[in-house]
Amino acid sequence: MTSQGFLDTHLLSILIFAPLAAAAVSAVLRSEQAQRIWALVATTALAALSIGLWCRFDASTHAFQFVENYSWIPSLKINYAVGLDGISVLLVLLTTLITPLCVLASWTYIKKRVKEFMIALLVMEAAMVGVFSALDTVLFFTFWEAMLIPMSLMIGVWGGPRRIYASLKFFIYTMAGSIFLLVSIIAIRLQTGSFGIQEAMGHPFSHGFQLWIFAAFFLSFAIKVPMFPFHTWLPAAHVEAPTAGSVILASVLLKMGTYGFLRFCLPMAPYATQVLAPYIIWASVIAVIYGGFTALAQGDMKKLVAYSSVAHMGFAVMGIFSLNQQGLEGATLVMINHGITTGALFIMVGILYERLHTRELDKLAGLGAKIPVFTGFFGVFCLSSLAFPGTNSFVGEFLVLAGGFKASPWAVVCVVPGVIAAAAYMYRVLQKFAYGSAENPEHHEVADLSLREIITLAPLLFGVFWVGLHPQPLLNVMKVSLAHVLEQAQRHL
Amino acid sequence: MTPSLQAFLPELVLLAGALGLFFVTLKKDGAETARTVILLTALGALLACAWSLGSQATLFDGAYRVDAFSQWLKIVVLAGFSFVILLGRTLGDIREDIRPEYYLFLCLSVIGQIFMMSSIDVIALVIALELSSFPLYLMVAMRRENNGHRVQMEAAVKYIMFGVAANGIMLFGLSYLFGLTGTTSLPLMMTRLLPVVHTPIAIVGLCLSLAGLLYKLAVFPFHFWTPDVYQGSSNETAGMIASLPKLGAVAILVRFVSLATPHHTTVALLLAGLAVCSMFYGNLVALVQKDFKRLLGFSGIAHAGYAIVGFTALDAAGFTSSLYYITGYVLMVLACFVVITRVSKDGANVSISELAGLHRRSPLLALTLVVAVFALAGIPPFVGFMGKFGILNAALSKGHLALAIIMVANSAIAVYYYLRVVKEAVFGDPVEEAPITLDLPTRILCCTLLVGILALGVAPAKILGAITASLATMGL
């Protein structure tokens, strides 16, 4: 076998296990600078490698691609099965592309125990790619839970003043949510005779059984999303986490919840989905409005962005449970967009915090005039967050609203205040930050963005406009797979 | 060498070692010599056991059977034995003049456990069980006196009282089974019990017979000794009591529970009830513990409950998963005790707050602790997760849905107190800055346990296959 051939057939496994190998190398490196450089080199190489997924992905079929299937634990019939479809390929790419930016964002932010931090970040990357590419429920669950360890360590070791509380809350909340996932995985296996995700999709489960597994899935995924009222871990975790931790949480981890809906709830429990979708749409309306208005009241910028996440993810859930093509496409786009925009906003808040050691909007008021480059970037990302036409979020939210209107016009009408609130809280931040109050002597010394920081943010800025102006390539990739999910979800039993 | 001699070689090596240790105890200042002797004995027995892995023999008029099942478990016990010896280092908390005796008793207890694995006659089994228990009672009492507080004596008395009572109940139950079947040989008992297994007397006999084993495993309501013995005995002794006897108990439990037919709802129901009580009691009480050993004691009760859940399936899949789980548990709990013995000052007990900032005092110990604790909590990719998964799988496939849900709910409760340990060790700042230096054996021990916990979790196929195959040789 040539090396090219090996790369071709094992690309996905390489993306899962190479970060672990890179973490092992990190463990023996001595100097802190070497740690940073190595982590950057490794994650960038992986990002470059993952472009291969994009290039070779065949968007014309809903079948899983880059599939690898080996027997892992024969006596329990567990397989190591991985593969990507049009939904997961985008999320894997989002993960691999955002990780090098996390390394860059932590370059000077992380000052103590750099080695451990980079190891945690690399292990995290492996687990995240693993979650999105797993085609075996046990493998999925393994990655899903394994992720908790590096993430809670990241919050607990490198976080802010209340880091321990936030870390424990995050861990216990997520763990408690996912234990029933484990039971339902086994229950499904007893019905289908296999732990395979593909085998469980479209299996004719009885209606009662569907309602139970839907409930179990929904609980664990809704906590991850997080949907109102399961969101309380999120502000705590976001506020206390270091910048890279917040970025990973927002950009990738939250997507696992909505990804779970698409991968598990819709195709495996279509009856339950159809029965419960209207209620879930209303729950997401509440999330959008609640997130928006709570964000409006926040003085801490990180908290503000965290609550805006609740609102944005509410849109994604709404799109998914509209159960039509536009809604699903919109939801998937919202997932990607939220990854780009919110990730960028967290990086920018982190940059400010590094300079001024505060995230209070009142103390940052009027800072914009001193650091024009920063303000330029910040303005774009704020506009993107409120779904300004021409930016990425506009496309996604527009599609969700269009899809949602078909499913439940009244829900869309009711979500309008949430959309307005988004504009209100983002404009409020921008206005205060750029033109805000009187001269603050502390602001004189503040430096504008460094080259490293510009390099960190530039790809995200590119993403904002690329998706905003030309989303068709992304839509093409996801279209067929989403149509297939929809078909499975609308199957009449 | 005759085949039967080859099959019995591990036991012979151990007996020779025990004899050697006996002679060492006769002279003064024999602690160092005794340590060397016992270490060599353990390694020798391990090699002999590996060599005899394929052999099959029935010895002593059918009372003792060497097969894949027994040899496989013996290897695990002997490996654990070696870990326990390394764990002990210099036995700082045992009076110097009785250290050789301590090693002798340790060796005798392991011999008893090794005998247990192969005994297929209930008389031999009871004797082996007693042989493994009595040295432990003494070892608990051998801890140094601490400022006139004789907690170790209280612990030893509790241990022996409960132990003797449980053994008495067990013998009483066995007498019923003997009366019903007219034999003391387990294989014969199995066939003769089959027609009458649903009669009340058989059920009572069977359930009472389990008492002695449930006591070893610290299953509710035979758990009362656990926290006090863990706390009262020296750290090394507690490490021993917490690990190896549980493996032995589960192995013998397999032999006894398999006396019940696969559809025996009464036995399954009883086991399920005990499992639920153990899980809730252990986990809820562990939540408020401050002493790390006590916490491990209560969590041990809960883990015994998890292992019992596997038995409720009453089939090979369930037994396999329980054996696999308890094998993993031995590694996890030993890893915790490595940390306890190294952190403790002069062999004193270690409170959870003393673990604060361990990452700065010794990164390797902190890593060992974190991995062990996450594994105990059942987080993948460690062995604790795979074990629980196997048990859940077995229980659910027999329709024990409520039991499975109670089990996962308990895992969620347990996460809280395990996280408290992680919190102190990793997030906290050290109360005491002095770094802990580890000698080479400790480093090797830590690394071996870490690799074991990870490897058993990631690649359990081999060991699960081996356990299943060895159960098949027992006719399961």
Side-chain angles (χ1 to χ4, degrees):
Chain A
M1 196 192 288
T2 63
S3 63
Q4 184 59 42
F6 181 80
L7 201 66
D8 273 340
T9 47
H10 296 83
L11 188 51
L12 212 42
S13 289
I14 292 172
L15 284 177
I16 296 172
F17 291 106
L20 296 180
V25 174
S26 275
V28 294
L29 288 179
R30 293 263 169 210
S31 96
E32 294 193 346
Q33 199 60 20
Q35 295 287 347
R36 296 187 180 108
I37 293 171
W38 167 246
L40 183 63
V41 169
T43 50
T44 314
L46 286 166
L49 206 58
S50 66
I51 300 293
L53 294 175
W54 173 261
C55 296
R56 286 196 275 126
F57 187 79
D58 176 11
S60 63
T61 167
H62 63 75
F64 286 94
Q65 301 170 39
F66 312 104
V67 172
E68 293 170 51
N69 199 341
Y70 310 102
S71 182
W72 178 20
I73 306 169
S75 57
L76 293 173
K77 294 186 187 149
I78 302 172
N79 292 331
Y80 172 81
V82 290
L84 297 177
D85 68 353
I87 309 162
S88 46
V89 73
L90 294 174
L91 293 168
V92 167
L93 280 166
L94 181 68
T95 309
T96 54
L97 295 178
I98 215 107
T99 317
L101 306 182
C102 291
V103 177
L104 279 173
S106 325
W107 205 264
T108 51
Y109 190 95
I110 301 298
K111 293 192 177 64
K112 58 167 190 175
R113 297 161 85 183
V114 179
K115 179 201 277 191
E116 286 86 345
F117 185 83
M118 294 304 170
I119 291 176
L121 197 61
L122 287 165
V123 172
M124 202 60 209
E125 180 175 13
M128 293 186 298
V129 175
V131 165
F132 290 129
S133 45
L135 288 185
D136 182 281
T137 45
V138 180
L139 190 66
F140 174 88
F141 190 82
T142 304
F143 285 126
W144 172 274
E145 291 271 281
M147 210 166 48
L148 293 181
I149 300 176
M151 192 67 225
S152 62
L153 290 183
M154 252 192 216
I155 300 172
V157 177
W158 294 276
R162 293 174 73 220
R163 59 202 160 90
I164 294 174
Y165 164 76
S167 166
L168 297 190
K169 190 167 180 180
F170 165 75
F171 198 107
I172 292 172
Y173 232 108
T174 324
M175 169 90 190
S178 51
I179 52 171
F180 294 106
L181 185 62
L182 185 61
V183 177
S184 47
I185 283 173
I186 300 175
I188 287 176
R189 138 93 167 78
L190 295 172
Q191 297 255 332
T192 64
S194 155
F195 281 116
I197 290 181
Q198 285 166 286
E199 284 83 349
M201 287 174 170
H203 186 90
F205 298 113
S206 74
H207 287 184
F209 185 78
Q210 283 192 25
L211 286 171
W212 280 112
I213 58 168
F214 187 94
F217 286 146
F218 187 80
L219 181 66
S220 52
F221 297 142
I223 287 176
K224 205 78 163 188
V225 166
M227 278 184 75
F228 181 86
F230 303 114
H231 66 282
T232 56
W233 62 270
L234 182 86
H238 265 319
V239 170
E240 301 306 327
T243 301
S246 295
V247 173
I248 285 193
L249 261 178
S251 299
V252 186
L253 252 65
L254 306 192
K255 310 305 169 305
M256 288 177 183
T258 40
Y259 171 75
F261 289 144
L262 287 172
R263 182 65 82 231
F264 287 83
C265 290
L266 267 58
M268 292 185 199
Y271 166 77
T273 305
Q274 284 167 33
V275 170
L276 296 170
Y279 306 102
I280 297 172
I281 288 184
W282 281 104
S284 56
V285 170
I286 296 175
V288 172
I289 294 175
Y290 171 86
F293 281 97
T294 319
L296 197 54
Q298 298 306 317
D300 182 316
M301 283 177 60
K302 231 175 169 182
K303 241 183 184 163
L304 187 148
V305 182
Y307 278 109
S308 83
S309 288
V310 176
H312 285 142
M313 294 312 286
F315 274 110
V317 176
M318 184 175 186
I320 290 172
F321 287 95
S322 309
L323 297 178
N324 54 49
Q325 184 73 16
Q326 274 176 328
L328 287 183
E329 285 179 9
T332 315
L333 263 190
V334 167
M335 284 152 70
I336 309 277
N337 293 336
H338 179 255
I340 297 170
T341 306
T342 311
L345 285 173
F346 275 124
I347 292 177
M348 301 215 78
V349 175
I351 289 171
L352 282 182
Y353 186 75
E354 237 184 300
R355 287 170 170 55
L356 290 163
H357 300 286
T358 179
R359 292 184 299 257
E360 288 299 320
L361 197 49
D362 290 336
K363 292 193 180 144
L364 297 170
L367 186 61
K370 310 281 178 201
I371 42 175
V373 182
F374 182 96
T375 314
F377 275 98
F378 193 62
V380 173
F381 291 126
C382 284
L383 289 181
S384 153
S385 182
L386 65 85
F388 196 76
T391 62
N392 53 352
S393 305
F394 175 72
V395 189
E397 290 188 14
F398 182 80
L399 279 171
V400 166
L401 292 179
F405 200 78
K406 286 185 197 162
S408 169
W410 283 109
V412 173
V413 171
C414 292
V415 96
V416 168
V419 179
I420 297 171
Y425 62 73
M426 275 304 162
Y427 279 130
R428 170 172 158 259
V429 170
L430 254 186
Q431 181 262 337
K432 264 204 164 170
F433 183 75
Y435 310 108
S437 63
E439 194 76 342
N440 188 338
E442 281 176 32
H443 292 173
H444 284 289
E445 302 299 317
V446 175
D448 210 336
L449 291 185
S450 69
L451 183 63
R452 173 183 59 81
E453 287 158 344
I454 292 177
I455 294 174
T456 315
L457 292 167
L460 297 167
L461 192 72
F462 171 76
V464 165
F465 288 114
W466 182 48
V467 182
L469 300 173
H470 187 51
Q472 205 52 45
L474 290 179
L475 291 171
N476 285 343
V477 165
M478 66 177 84
K479 187 165 247 141
V480 182
S481 300
L482 286 174
H484 182 63
V485 169
L486 197 59
E487 191 184 308
Q488 286 177 320
Q490 285 174 338
R491 178 158 48 100
H492 289 286
L493 297 169
Chain B
M1 192 177 279
T2 60
S4 55
L5 192 62
Q6 182 192 1
F8 202 57
L9 194 62
E11 284 84 342
L12 287 180
V13 172
L14 282 172
L15 286 170
L19 202 60
L21 281 170
F22 173 70
F23 284 115
V24 175
T25 58
L26 296 180
K27 66 172 192 142
K28 276 189 172 172
D29 310 328
E32 276 305 306
T33 330
R35 188 175 156 75
T36 319
V37 171
I38 197 170
L39 205 54
L40 288 177
T41 309
L43 293 178
L46 196 58
L47 284 178
C49 203
W51 184 54
S52 69
L53 195 57
S55 59
Q56 292 221 341
T58 308
L59 308 166
F60 307 119
D61 293 330
Y64 200 80
R65 186 159 73 195
V66 174
D67 51 19
F69 177 74
S70 68
Q71 297 315 91
W72 175 245
L73 286 167
K74 281 177 198 169
I75 286 201
V76 181
V77 170
L78 289 170
F81 179 36
S82 320
F83 294 153
V84 168
I85 298 168
L86 289 178
L87 185 75
R89 202 164 44 173
T90 52
L91 296 182
D93 212 21
I94 308 294
R95 243 174 43 222
E96 203 170 336
D97 53 328
I98 53 170
R99 279 181 202 163
E101 281 86 347
Y102 182 89
Y103 285 120
L104 174 62
F105 291 138
L106 179 61
C107 190
L108 284 173
S109 172
V110 170
I111 290 174
Q113 282 167 42
I114 294 285
F115 283 162
M116 261 162 72
M117 303 297 177
S118 276
S119 301
I120 52 166
D121 187 284
V122 287
I123 304 277
L125 194 65
V126 169
I127 291 172
L129 193 64
E130 302 283 339
L131 179 60
S132 75
S133 305
F134 276 86
L136 289 178
Y137 302 146
L138 290 167
M139 281 159 69
V140 172
M142 285 168 92
R143 190 182 201 181
R144 234 180 6 195
E145 266 178 43
N146 192 0
N147 306 329
H149 290 297
R150 308 188 73 179
V151 277
Q152 81 278 19
M153 289 306 171
E154 184 194 334
V157 169
K158 270 191 183 158
Y159 197 26
I160 195 166
M161 292 306 239
F162 280 107
V164 170
N167 276 338
I169 298 173
M170 183 180 183
L171 278 170
F172 188 57
L174 287 175
S175 73
Y176 277 9
L177 293 184
F178 174 72
L180 274 170
T181 59
T183 176
T184 55
S185 159
L186 274 171
L188 271 178
M189 206 181 254
M190 208 166 171
T191 49
R192 290 192 196 165
L193 202 60
L194 213 53
V196 290
V197 77
H198 288 284
T199 57
I201 189 116
I203 293 170
V204 168
L206 210 51
C207 295
L208 291 180
S209 311
L210 300 181
L213 302 167
L214 296 178
Y215 155 78
K216 279 268 165 198
L217 198 55
V219 174
F220 184 93
F222 302 101
H223 65 279
F224 289 104
W225 57 275
T226 316
D228 291 324
V229 168
Y230 276 42
Q231 194 181 20
S233 59
S234 75
N235 295 331
E236 298 85 3
T237 317
M240 166 73 184
I241 291 171
S243 53
L244 298 185
K246 304 208 168 170
L247 184 69
V250 169
I252 306 310
L253 214 50
V254 170
R255 293 201 190 269
F256 271 100
V257 175
S258 61
L259 288 175
T261 58
H263 308 292
H264 207 305
T265 45
T266 319
V267 174
L269 197 67
L270 179 89
L271 288 172
L274 294 182
V276 170
C277 295
S278 290
M279 289 189 286
F280 274 117
Y281 177 81
N283 280 326
L284 292 178
V285 182
L287 287 175
V288 294
Q289 297 307 314
K290 293 192 175 68
D291 184 296
F292 191 29
K293 274 200 294 179
R294 268 186 98 86
L295 182 136
L296 284 177
F298 284 109
S299 94
I301 296 171
H303 283 280
Y306 300 145
I308 296 294
V309 172
F311 280 97
T312 58
L314 295 176
D315 63 359
F319 300 151
T320 306
S321 59
S322 288
L323 276 169
Y324 167 70
Y325 188 69
I326 215 76
T327 308
Y329 179 74
V330 168
L331 294 181
M332 299 186 272
V333 84
L334 279 177
C336 288
F337 273 99
V338 173
V339 177
I340 291 178
T341 53
R342 296 311 183 255
V343 171
S344 115
K345 279 178 297 218
D346 305 327
N349 287 353
V350 175
S351 68
I352 295 174
S353 54
E354 274 175 71
L355 296 169
L358 186 63
H359 66 87
R360 225 172 283 171
R361 300 176 66 197
S362 167
L364 182 62
L365 277 188
L367 181 69
T368 311
L369 183 69
V370 168
V371 167
V373 163
F374 276 130
L376 284 170
I379 308 292
F382 304 118
V383 63
F385 166 72
M386 262 312 158
K388 272 187 196 149
F389 181 82
I391 289 173
L392 277 177
N393 201 7
L396 269 179
S397 62
K398 290 284 166 179
H400 298 296
L401 179 65
L403 192 57
I405 288 178
I406 288 175
M407 181 169 160
V408 289
N410 266 283
S411 311
I413 299 173
V415 165
Y416 179 74
Y417 60 80
Y418 289 127
L419 278 180
R420 266 177 56 214
V421 176
V422 173
K423 181 188 98 180
E424 290 295 346
V426 185
F427 303 161
D429 288 319
V431 272
E432 183 189 0
E433 288 288 346
I436 304 169
T437 46
L438 302 176
D439 53 352
L440 187 67
T442 312
R443 284 169 185 276
I444 294 174
L445 185 59
C446 285
C447 293
T448 316
L449 290 170
L450 283 175
V451 170
I453 291 171
L454 187 63
L456 276 184
V458 176
K462 268 245 158 61
I463 182 170
L464 282 173
I467 296 175
T468 314
S470 62
L471 281 172
T473 62
M474 282 174 55
L476 281 168

